[in-house]
């Protein structure tokens, strides 16, 4: 099996896995970073979103080859103490119900606000449209992104 | 006034205190023993030990309070709300309370279940009694120390005051003495006006873990030596496993073993038909590997041979259900007066049929469970809504005793009814028993969607007779796959409001597994009935809200013990919804739909606002007024209500699972549409303020949403919608072409 060097949350690790192993399962099963969630496995729902060089991407459909030399951030590495403005807004608005999709939602929102710190309502809705929340907490997800934007701006 | 369930208490049976070795006090209580509708004394009280209690208050001698919350958390907020009730009566500051998930250590108690929106309703009295009992024991200990009467002491936020001397003692200072005292026979509960925690907005107790990605869920659980199992299941309902070739799978990296299993569950199912409905008919093949990905990949390489039995398709169900409605074989669930005679004398008769498809639950966290079966015990960890029943079944299939099962509940990535069924947990148990290893069964999304226990397809036919401007007869018929409405559903509104009233049901036995789905039956019935009322109002040429109010005014709930909704509470909710939604006063491009509904002991009214955008009707807003009695945690309540409404809108608009020769036609979210951000309406919520006992919120706001949007879409487009999902008839979501004059 090939060996890959992965830079995750600032730390480089070496993993031996078959070339087709998605980043998601390397994070979860090999690196013990289980904050990144499995849900659809085909890049549709966004529960597995991580940042790759600052861009939100579906880790369930990324191979290790595709992320070689890139800097990966997971929910565990988004902030030191859970105090990224998006995390703080999520807490303030009390977004989660079951909470399972929220790491992916937070990773999408944080990458988006980095790109677009002053979003319109439509911008936020477009950015978050790719992440499914089965509890349908969309009203609160929207409010939290809006609040995070205010706090960051 | 709504009637209370017949709950009785036997405090000695459900509470016990003890001192802790390291200092402090433990009060164990069995919530589910305490609030069974009829309490039977435990077999032998003297034999009870702490394993028999599923919830605890721990007060350390430094005053720190830990509450172990007994009920499974599926996102409905009970892990926050139930401890809030205890803390209120215990009289401690909420910020000083640490909440942990209780574990299941016994199989004796029936209500350690998340389902039916009943956790809060049943727990209300018992949780308050427990908190108040602990408070009284601490006061008694302080009074004894001071040599005064307990009535000379007051308490606030964990500090007891001697009103004669103004001396104070913290709970931690008297906890060791309190632990030695008898449990008091009588305790006084606070009046709602004294509440300091109940009714305040408190965040989800797991919020910090959720936003930082801590391992909270079943799929996150790991232990040393654990291996992963991916399971090959019949591609179609009606197929059974004949044989398999695992040569290729066994050569895959990381693969440890491949085993056929399922015979133990099927043996037990032979004696218990409920189980066979849950577990399907076929044996299965598990691929065991070192990692999840290796197991899932290797499973794909299995060569499996299946034998076809009856393979059903959606078209079959469509015909069968219509035949049932047209036929004469029904079970009558309620009958008042004589509907047939009444229809014969009616001036006008309206009859309509409503259709709905199968629905998978699609929890974001796919089904999974950990099991480690050893000679000493059966250790199980994972997301389950019915820990007690599942532990029992696990013991049953292995011929062990329930006492040998140690089951730990994790947070759940959604439930919606799916995790009431422990099929996935039993898979883990049977596989672990075979391979003699700790194992985690992981469903792929395909497994989750295609080996489901679905909301069944249902059709309703409703017929009403009108004479002299009054509804004199109402006949509701249900035709459903596998099972019919149950409990008090046949007695929901408009039962009691119409003199001649009948509910008939019929079912067809399919090999497709079906079960509870968020708000069983009412999740579709509410839309059917509330669409029907709207059409009825049009036919009668009366105001659609007034029609509902007039019917409610005829109800004498006291005269019929089956009628548990309160016409007064419902009328109040309707008036509030009319006011807040500005019903009937909208600008020309806004069209509204009205619904009122009662289920899960909660009264709800919803108004949907639809606008036409680019020639299409779009649901923009839903106003939702809820009477759930005393609100424990308004923040959690709003969250549940907003989610319930949007979920109801989403499934009415988009949800459907069809079958072709036994095979589901969607396997993942690429071909199964769930509502997303841009389709979600804004939800505005109002909680009625009163002092009725609290009822649950996990379900009751979902059912009315489908009706509210169907009625609003009719107002906007001129088209009535008789089939879910509405997106299936896209032409009906556009306004009818106006005739061009001239």
């Amino acid at each position: 099996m090939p060996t890959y060097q992965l830079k995750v949350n600032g730390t480089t690790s070496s993993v031996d896995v078959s070339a087709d192993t998605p980043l998601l399962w390397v994070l979860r099963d090999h690196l013990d970073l289980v904050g990144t969630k499995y849900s659809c496995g085909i890049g549709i729902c966004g529960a597995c979103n991580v940042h790759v060089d600052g861009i939100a991407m579906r880790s369930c459909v990324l191979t290790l080859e595709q992320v070689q030399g890139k800097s990966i951030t997971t929910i565990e590495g988004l902030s030191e103490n859970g105090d990224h403005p998006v995390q703080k807004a999520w807490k303030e608005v009390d977004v989660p119900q079951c909470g399972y999709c929220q790491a992916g939602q937070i990773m999408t929102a944080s990458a988006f606000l980095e790109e677009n710190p002053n979003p319109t309502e439509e911008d936020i809705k477009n950015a978050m449209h790719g992440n499914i929340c089965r509890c349908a907490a969309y009203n609160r997800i929207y409010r939290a992104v809006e609040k995070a934007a205010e706090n960051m701006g | 006034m709504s009637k209370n369930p017949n709950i009785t208490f036997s405090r000695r049976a459900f509470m016990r205190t003890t001192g802790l070795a390291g200092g402090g006090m433990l009060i164990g209580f069995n919530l589910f023993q305490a609030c069974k509708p009829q309490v039977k004394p435990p077999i032998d009280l003297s034999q009870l030990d702490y394993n028999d209690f599923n919830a605890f208050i721990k007060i350390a001698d430094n005053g720190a309070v830990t509450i172990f919350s007994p009920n499974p958390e599926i996102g409905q907020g009970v892990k926050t709300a139930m401890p809030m009730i205890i803390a209120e009566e215990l009289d401690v500051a909420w910020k000083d309370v640490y909440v942990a998930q209780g574990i299941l250590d016994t199989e004796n108690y029936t209500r350690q279940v998340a389902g039916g929106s009943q956790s809060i309703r049943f727990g209300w009295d018992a949780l308050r009694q427990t908190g108040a009992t602990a408070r009284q024991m601490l006061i008694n200990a302080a009074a004894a120390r001071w040599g005064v009467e307990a009535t000379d002491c007051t308490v606030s936020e964990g500090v007891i005051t001697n009103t004669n001397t103004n001396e104070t003692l913290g709970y931690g200072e008297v906890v060791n003495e309190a632990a030695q005292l008898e449990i008091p026979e009588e305790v006084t509960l606070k009046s709602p006006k004294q509440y300091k925690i109940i009714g305040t907005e408190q965040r989800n107790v797991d919020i910090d873990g959720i936003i930082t990605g801590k391992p909270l869920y079943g799929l996150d659980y790991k232990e040393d030596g654990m291996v992963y199992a991916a399971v090959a299941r019949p591609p179609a309902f009606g197929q059974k496993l004949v044989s398999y070739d695992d040569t290729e799978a066994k050569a895959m990296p990381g693969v440890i073993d491949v085993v056929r299993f399922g015979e133990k569950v099927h043996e037990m199912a032979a004696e218990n038909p409920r189980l066979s409905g849950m577990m399907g008919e076929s044996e299965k093949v598990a691929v065991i590997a070192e990692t999840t990905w290796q197991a899932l990949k290797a499973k794909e390489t299995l060569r499996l041979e299946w034998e076809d039995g009856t393979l059903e398709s959606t078209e079959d169900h469509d015909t069968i259900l219509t035949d049932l409605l047209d036929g004469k074989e029904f079970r009558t669930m309620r009958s008042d007066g004589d509907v047939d005679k009444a229809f014969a004398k009616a001036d006008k008769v309206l009859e309509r049929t409503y259709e709905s498809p199968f629905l998978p639950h699609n929890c974001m966290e796919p089904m999974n469970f950990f099991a480690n079966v050893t000679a000493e015990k059966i250790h199980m960890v994972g997301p389950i809504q019915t820990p007690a029943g599942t532990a029992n079944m696990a013991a049953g299939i292995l011929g062990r005793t329930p006492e040998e099962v140690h089951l730990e509940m994790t947070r759940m990535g959604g439930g919606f009814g799916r995790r009431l069924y422990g099929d996935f947990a039993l898979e883990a148990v049977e596989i672990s028993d075979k391979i003699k290893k700790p194992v985690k069964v992981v469903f792929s999304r395909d497994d989750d969607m295609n080996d489901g226990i679905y909301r069944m397809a249902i059709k309703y036919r409703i017929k009403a007779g009108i004479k002299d401007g009054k509804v004199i007869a109402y006949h509701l018929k249900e035709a459903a796959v596998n099972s019919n409405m149950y409990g008090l559903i046949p007695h929901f509104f408009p039962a009691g409001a119409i003199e001649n009233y009948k509910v008939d049901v019929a079912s067809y036995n399919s090999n497709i597994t079906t079960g509870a789905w968020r708000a069983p039956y009412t999740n579709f019935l509410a839309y059917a009935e509330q669409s029907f009322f709207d059409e009825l109002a049009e036919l009668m040429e009366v105001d659609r809200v007034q029609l509902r109010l007039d019917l409610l005014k005829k109800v004498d709930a006291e005269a019929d013990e089956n009628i548990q909704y309160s016409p007064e509470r419902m009328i109040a909710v309707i008036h509030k919804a009319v006011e807040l939604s500005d019903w009937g006063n909208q600008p020309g491009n806004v069209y509204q739909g009205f619904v009122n509904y009662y289920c899960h002991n909660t009264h709800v009214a919803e108004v949907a606002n639809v606008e036409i955008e680019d020639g299409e009707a779009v649901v923009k807003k839903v106003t939702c007024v809820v009477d759930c009695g005393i609100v424990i945690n308004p923040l959690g309540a709003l969250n549940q209500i907003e989610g319930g409404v949007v979920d109801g809108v989403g499934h009415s608009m988009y949800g459907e699972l069809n079958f072709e020769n036994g095979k589901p036609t969607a396997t993942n979210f690429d071909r199964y549409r769930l509502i997303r951000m841009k389709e979600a309406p804004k939800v505005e919520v109002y909680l009625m303020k009163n002092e009725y006992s609290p009822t649950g919120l996990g379900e009751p706001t979902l059912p009315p949403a489908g009706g509210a949007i169907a009625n609003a879409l009719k107002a906007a487009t001129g088209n009535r919608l008789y089939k879910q999902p509405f997106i299936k008839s896209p032409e009906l979501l556009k306004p009818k072409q106006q005739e061009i004059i001239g």
Side-chain angles (χ1 to χ4, degrees):
Chain A
M1 279 192 284
T3 300
Y4 297 92
Q5 303 293 319
L6 275 188
K7 191 175 164 203
V8 182
N9 301 333
T11 307
T12 302
S13 317
S14 173
V15 286
D16 296 329
V17 292
S18 62
D20 63 359
T21 312
L23 174 62
L24 167 70
W25 292 113
V26 174
L27 294 172
R28 290 187 58 84
D29 286 358
H30 297 262
L31 302 180
D32 261 347
L33 294 167
V34 295
T36 304
K37 297 300 189 226
Y38 167 63
S39 189
C40 74
I42 57 170
I44 298 280
C45 77
C48 67
N49 274 11
V50 297
H51 296 172
V52 179
D53 283 347
I55 298 165
M57 299 184 92
R58 315 296 211 210
S59 66
C60 73
V61 290
L62 284 175
T63 63
L64 297 196
E65 194 61 45
Q66 288 170 306
V67 296
Q68 282 306 285
K70 299 195 170 159
S71 179
I72 297 156
T73 307
T74 70
I75 185 75
E76 291 92 341
L78 185 63
S79 63
E80 280 279 316
N81 303 307
D83 54 0
H84 184 282
V86 171
Q87 287 168 313
K88 279 161 77 175
W90 241 251
K91 182 169 175 173
E92 200 178 327
V93 178
D94 198 40
V95 174
Q97 288 178 42
C98 87
Y100 191 80
C101 73
Q102 299 300 343
Q105 304 271 5
I106 289 169
M107 296 312 281
T108 303
S110 52
F112 159 68
L113 291 175
E114 202 62 44
E115 286 283 302
N116 182 352
N118 296 302
T120 62
E121 178 180 340
E122 203 185 345
D123 292 342
I124 294 175
K125 289 190 171 174
N126 281 329
M128 301 310 295
H129 195 70
N131 286 65
I132 295 175
C133 172
R134 175 64 183 83
C135 302
Y138 296 115
N139 277 246
R140 270 167 208 271
I141 293 168
Y142 175 82
R143 251 176 286 160
V145 178
E146 198 179 42
K147 191 165 283 286
E150 282 165 23
N151 294 346
M152 286 165 91
Chain B
M1 206 186 119
S2 178
K3 295 155 197 163
N4 279 323
N6 179 23
I7 292 174
T8 52
F9 291 94
S10 168
R11 195 168 308 122
R12 291 198 178 283
F14 83 92
M15 255 185 247
R16 168 148 319 182
T17 61
T18 191
L20 290 170
M25 165 188 193
L26 194 61
I27 301 171
F29 58 103
N30 196 295
L31 180 61
F32 311 101
Q33 184 69 14
C35 56
K36 272 181 186 172
Q38 291 173 316
V39 177
K40 289 186 199 121
I43 302 153
D44 182 353
L45 277 176
S46 65
Q47 296 300 309
L48 278 180
D49 67 15
Y50 276 88
N51 286 339
D52 296 310
F53 294 92
N54 55 21
F56 303 93
I57 306 170
K58 190 167 99 183
I59 304 166
D61 54 11
N62 64 7
V65 175
T66 307
I67 297 174
F68 293 85
S69 179
N71 258 32
E73 177 65 51
I74 49 175
Q76 84 283 44
V78 290
K79 191 173 167 184
T80 308
M82 295 182 94
M84 283 175 73
I85 299 171
I86 295 173
E88 179 69 65
E89 288 292 348
L90 181 59
D91 212 327
V92 288
W94 179 244
K95 65 176 171 49
D96 297 335
V97 174
Y98 175 73
V99 177
Q101 177 72 59
I103 59 168
L104 182 88
D105 258 331
T106 175
E107 89 313 343
N108 288 318
Y109 305 101
T110 52
R111 183 86 217 148
Q112 195 161 349
V113 171
S117 298
Q118 300 298 314
S119 299
I120 291 294
R121 178 171 167 247
F122 282 122
W124 172 240
D125 286 330
L127 292 164
R128 287 186 301 155
Q129 289 264 356
T130 303
T133 299
R135 179 188 63 199
Q136 191 60 50
M137 291 174 79
L138 291 156
I139 292 173
N140 291 351
R145 171 121 39 119
W146 285 320
V148 299
E149 294 295 317
T151 47
D152 292 328
C153 302
T154 59
V155 63
S156 178
E157 299 201 334
V159 178
I160 304 159
T161 303
N162 179 344
T163 53
N164 298 332
T165 63
N166 284 332
E167 284 173 278
T168 60
L169 284 169
Y171 279 178
E173 295 174 82
V174 291
V175 68
N176 291 329
E177 289 145 69
Q180 309 305 319
L181 298 178
E182 285 288 308
I183 294 174
E185 284 296 330
E186 293 289 329
V187 293
T188 310
L189 300 179
K190 289 185 180 179
S191 79
K193 290 184 181 51
Q194 296 170 291
Y195 289 159
K196 288 183 269 188
I197 297 172
I198 291 172
T200 61
E201 297 204 338
Q202 300 301 340
R203 294 190 179 86
N204 187 323
V205 291
D206 281 336
I207 184 83
D208 289 323
I210 291 169
I211 62 173
T212 54
K214 294 285 181 301
L216 301 172
Y217 300 89
L219 209 61
D220 304 339
Y221 180 81
K222 280 182 190 182
E223 65 176 57
D224 286 346
M226 184 181 94
V227 294
Y228 295 85
V231 175
R233 307 152 191 286
F237 287 90
Q239 287 184 322
K240 278 188 187 175
L241 180 67
V242 178
S243 63
Y244 66 97
D245 176 353
D246 59 11
T247 319
E248 204 179 329
K250 280 191 164 160
M252 299 276 285
V255 173
I256 298 163
D257 206 350
V258 178
V259 293
R260 179 175 178 149
F261 73 101
E263 68 274 13
K264 292 204 165 150
V265 160
H266 289 106
E267 262 168 43
M268 189 163 74
E271 290 158 29
N272 181 351
R274 279 178 72 98
L275 256 183
S276 58
M278 187 178 98
M279 296 301 300
E281 294 171 344
S282 179
E283 290 178 11
K284 299 162 188 172
V285 180
V287 176
I288 319 298
E290 288 164 14
T291 69
T292 317
W293 177 251
Q294 289 168 338
L296 291 170
K297 281 292 284 182
K299 181 184 99 168
E300 301 302 319
T301 69
L302 290 174
R303 289 159 203 268
L304 300 139
E305 196 193 327
W306 308 97
E307 177 188 38
D308 287 352
T310 309
L311 304 179
E312 300 178 5
S313 298
T314 294
E315 289 164 10
D316 305 329
H317 299 137
D318 195 41
T319 311
I320 289 164
L321 295 182
T322 299
D323 288 349
L324 283 175
L325 287 177
D326 291 343
K328 294 198 178 335
E329 300 291 312
F330 290 99
R331 269 190 306 134
T332 299
M333 307 291 283
R334 180 183 172 106
S335 182
D336 301 334
D338 186 328
V339 285
D340 295 327
K341 272 193 192 152
F343 284 128
K345 25 176 220 206
D347 307 328
K348 290 180 196 167
V349 169
L350 179 70
E351 185 178 70
R352 291 289 182 263
T353 303
Y354 301 87
E355 303 176 17
S356 71
F358 285 86
L359 294 178
H361 298 83
N362 285 335
C363 302
M364 290 304 278
E365 179 192 18
M367 296 307 109
N368 65 87
F369 226 82
F370 169 87
N372 188 16
V373 179
T374 60
E376 293 75 42
K377 65 175 180 180
I378 302 168
H379 184 205
M380 302 171 73
V381 184
I384 183 77
Q385 283 172 269
T386 51
T390 301
N392 249 339
M393 288 190 290
I397 59 171
L398 298 184
R400 309 264 298 251
T401 63
E403 290 71 35
E404 292 174 272
V405 181
H406 177 85
L407 191 151
E408 293 171 51
M409 285 173 282
T410 59
R411 194 175 177 86
M412 302 181 222
F416 313 107
R418 180 64 183 88
R419 288 187 164 103
L420 290 166
Y421 307 95
D423 50 318
F424 43 89
L426 299 186
E427 287 186 359
V429 166
E430 208 174 337
I431 294 167
S432 175
D433 183 55
K434 286 220 156 168
I435 64 171
K436 307 291 175 214
K437 282 186 172 64
V439 66
K440 172 108 69 80
V441 166
V442 179
F443 280 44
S444 67
R445 177 54 57 192
D446 291 23
D447 294 331
D448 197 89
M449 208 179 288
N450 289 355
D451 202 14
I453 297 182
Y454 309 108
R455 199 283 299 270
M456 63 291 280
I458 301 186
K459 294 191 187 194
Y460 286 110
R461 183 168 292 163
I462 310 176
K463 186 177 175 183
I466 302 154
K467 190 172 172 59
D468 303 331
K470 290 199 168 69
V471 186
I472 57 161
Y474 189 92
H475 192 181
L476 169 68
K477 291 181 190 173
E478 175 185 272
V481 173
N482 287 341
S483 56
N484 291 110
M485 67 165 83
Y486 55 84
L488 291 174
I489 298 173
H491 309 283
F492 286 179
F493 181 72
I498 300 165
E499 205 178 328
N500 302 287
Y501 183 90
K502 197 174 186 191
V503 179
D504 280 331
V505 300
S507 65
Y508 156 76
N509 282 334
S510 167
N511 56 20
I512 297 170
T513 48
T514 57
W517 193 100
R518 195 175 191 178
Y521 300 95
T522 58
N523 59 43
F524 173 55
L525 176 60
Y527 143 76
E529 287 196 313
Q530 293 289 324
S531 298
F532 187 80
F533 287 161
D534 234 40
E535 207 165 342
L536 200 57
E538 287 170 11
L539 181 69
M540 294 168 72
E541 297 178 332
V542 296
D543 179 85
R544 49 199 91 222
V545 176
Q546 196 57 46
L547 169 70
R548 291 163 163 99
L549 290 171
D550 290 345
L551 286 169
L552 282 161
K553 281 174 192 152
K554 291 186 188 147
V555 180
D556 178 6
E558 297 300 323
D560 183 340
E561 63 173 5
N562 283 320
I563 291 181
Q564 297 224 334
Y565 68 89
S566 152
E568 294 80 21
R569 292 173 77 177
M570 186 61 93
I571 288 168
V573 160
I574 290 174
H575 285 311
K576 198 73 191 175
V578 165
E579 176 197 328
L580 293 178
S581 66
D582 214 0
W583 171 257
N585 290 317
Q586 297 298 310
N589 61 325
V590 178
Y591 303 87
Q592 292 186 305
F594 192 92
V595 163
N596 65 284
Y597 206 67
Y598 165 89
C599 60
H600 304 279
N601 312 95
T602 297
H603 299 76
V604 179
E606 293 180 16
V607 177
N609 286 18
V610 160
E611 293 175 29
I612 305 293
E613 285 181 351
D614 302 326
E616 289 234 3
V618 181
V619 184
K620 302 295 275 188
K621 191 177 111 179
V622 178
T623 305
C624 182
V625 176
V626 179
D627 178 354
C628 59
I630 292 169
V631 179
I632 311 298
N633 179 7
L635 191 57
L638 291 182
N639 223 330
Q640 285 304 302
I641 292 167
E642 291 165 6
V645 170
V646 177
D647 190 12
V649 170
H651 279 90
S652 304
M653 285 297 296
Y654 309 118
E656 87 178 307
L657 192 70
N658 292 316
F659 293 87
E660 269 175 32
N661 298 318
K663 228 177 193 173
T665 52
T667 61
N668 205 320
F669 300 141
D670 52 347
R671 294 188 63 198
Y672 190 95
R673 187 165 174 186
L674 287 166
I675 193 166
R676 290 174 182 262
M677 177 63 91
K678 284 196 278 187
E679 297 127 2
K682 186 172 172 30
V683 183
E684 284 187 2
V685 181
Y686 182 83
L687 294 162
M688 299 295 278
K689 289 166 187 66
N690 57 48
E691 292 184 2
Y692 291 108
S693 294
T695 54
L697 282 174
E699 290 159 298
T701 64
L702 180 144
I709 65 169
N711 291 342
L713 288 166
K714 160 63 170 61
T717 65
N719 301 314
R720 277 274 162 216
L721 297 158
Y722 299 103
K723 274 186 196 186
Q724 287 191 352
F726 304 146
I727 197 77
K728 263 207 121 166
S729 320
E731 70 287 355
L732 299 181
L733 300 176
K734 296 184 170 79
K736 273 185 182 161
Q737 288 294 326
Q738 299 290 321
E739 264 182 58
I740 298 160
I741 299 165

